[in-house]
Amino acid sequence: MPGTIVMKFGGTSVADAERLRNAARRIVQKREQGQRVVAVLSARGKTTDELIAMAEEVSPAPAPRELDMLLSAGERISCALCAMAINDLGHRAISMTGSQAGIVTDTSHTKARILDVRADRIRSALEEDSIVLVAGFQGVSTARDVTTLGRGGSDTTAVAVAAALEAEVCEIYTDVAGVYSADPRIVPQARLLPVLSFEEMLEMAASGAGVLQLRSVEYARNHGVRIHCRSSFEDRPGTVVVSEIETMEHPLITAVTHSTGEARVTLLGVPDKPGVAARIFGALADADVNVDMIIQSEPAGEGSSAEVSFTVPRDDLRVSRQTLEGLAPELGISSIVTDEEMGKVSIVGAGMRSHPGVAAKVFTVLGDEEINIEMISTSPIKISCVIGGEHVPRAVRALHSAFELSGDGTEQPEEPFRPPGQ
Ligand code: ASP
Ligand code: MG
């Protein structure tokens, strides 16, 4: 619908009454500028964590279907309250659950994928001049159960709604001013990045930049939704994520990202024969474990057995172990070793596609810092190294300075930044 925008507010942006009323005011402001507005809200503050803790108090392994019923309540609370606040500002607002908003997902509870957005109810509310508040992070499955979309899933709700409505932009309002060249908590001189391509943002989200849920970026790229990340507390330009054609130039390196939530699994004495890797990683995929880097090697002199190491999010380590312990006797794997405290640093930049030597520089920088690289993986625009978790902040700072990514302290352009095409 022409003139439609989607505004998404994260948990910290609606954490208390004052912030929620502030979000309501920003929504109303857009409406008063003549836009039709759909706002997607997250659960307030730590609500989702608290709901998870509540479930764990009553059950050691809560049924996923019931967990989804519980967790979806958080976003519902935010939307109902925000609708009340908007009504008090003299505008009509209506809140909807994911299901009422027509967000249809698959049946994979707690990690559901959006299959379709049947937005007619949102559309008719917009046509009746209402502001629509959609509960983020949730939908209704093809089996008619309430589902949730995984942590951070409200971003994906917002992008999916924006795609369905052919909105002009999907604005992500958050507690940081946009996307930075590194986590500003680790690198205070990090630079705010005004424009990013979907490819860069995808690699960044996949390698630890927490600003946007990875799936939301994938969805935006696939459907051509322009994303604009910005602060909900200040009126600053933030970061626009657009397709590559629109981004003007490619710096060699755009950002350093990191994650401290990695774990490594090593399988020793893995029979070296066809089909074994397929069984191992097939079983992990069936258990919904997201495997990241994989290395297989054949220790010298041991002809028929290999060693396989891979990383998984630390939260998936328990399930990974259980799955592999079930499989080990049958496949003849001799032992399973795990390292819980692993981290990862990555550098991302579309310019590295055409420049040799970037990887060598990364290894030199880490070597000079006496940081041991445990595993390496690359894509055309990313180089990632798994390292001990305790070295992560030092590695991030060293890489950020070696590639000269710092802002000069005036990262905000003097002219108000106009996102291209707006
Ligand atoms: N409330 C959910 C979470 O904390 C979803 C979201 O905020 O995007 O993960
Ligand atoms: Mg988030």
Side-chain angles (χ1 to χ4, degrees), residues 288-370:
D288 252 341
V289 173
N290 232 328
V291 175
D292 184 14
M293 282 188 212
I294 304 173
I295 288 182
Q296 174 171 327
S297 56
E298 280 173 44
E302 270 185 52
S304 62
S305 87
E307 192 180 301
V308 176
S309 297
F310 56 89
T311 57
V312 295
R314 190 173 305 125
D315 292 345
D316 286 349
L317 186 59
R318 198 166 46 124
V319 189
S320 309
R321 219 180 208 296
Q322 277 166 0
T323 308
L324 294 165
E325 277 163 0
L327 205 62
E330 188 195 327
L331 290 184
I333 292 169
S334 59
S335 66
I336 304 171
V337 183
T338 54
D339 297 283
E340 291 200 23
E341 302 298 324
M342 303 306 290
K344 186 168 75 170
V345 281
S346 309
I347 56 164
V348 176
M352 77 170 80
R353 230 183 237 131
S354 49
H355 281 80
V358 176
K361 180 161 172 181
V362 170
F363 306 150
T364 307
V365 170
L366 296 179
D368 289 348
E369 289 287 320
E370 309 261 340

Side-chain angles (χ1 to χ4, degrees), residues 8 42-43 48 75 137 150-155:
K8 181 255 169 181
S42 285
T48 307
E75 276 58 21
F137 170 60
R151 299 308 303 266
S154 300
D155 295 336

Side-chain angles (χ1 to χ4, degrees), residues 198-218 257-259 262 290-293 311 313 344-346 348 377 379 382 384:
F198 286 126
E199 271 55 41
E200 288 169 317
M201 193 63 235
L202 265 180
E203 293 285 15
M204 288 176 67
S207 59
V211 194
L212 287 169
Q213 197 201 30
L214 176 58
R215 274 188 190 171
S216 71
V217 188
E218 267 165 7
T257 53
H258 72 278
S259 133
E262 312 280 322
N290 232 328
V291 175
D292 184 14
M293 282 188 212
T311 57
K344 186 168 75 170
V345 281
S346 309
V348 176
S377 81
S379 87
K382 182 190 72 179
S384 297

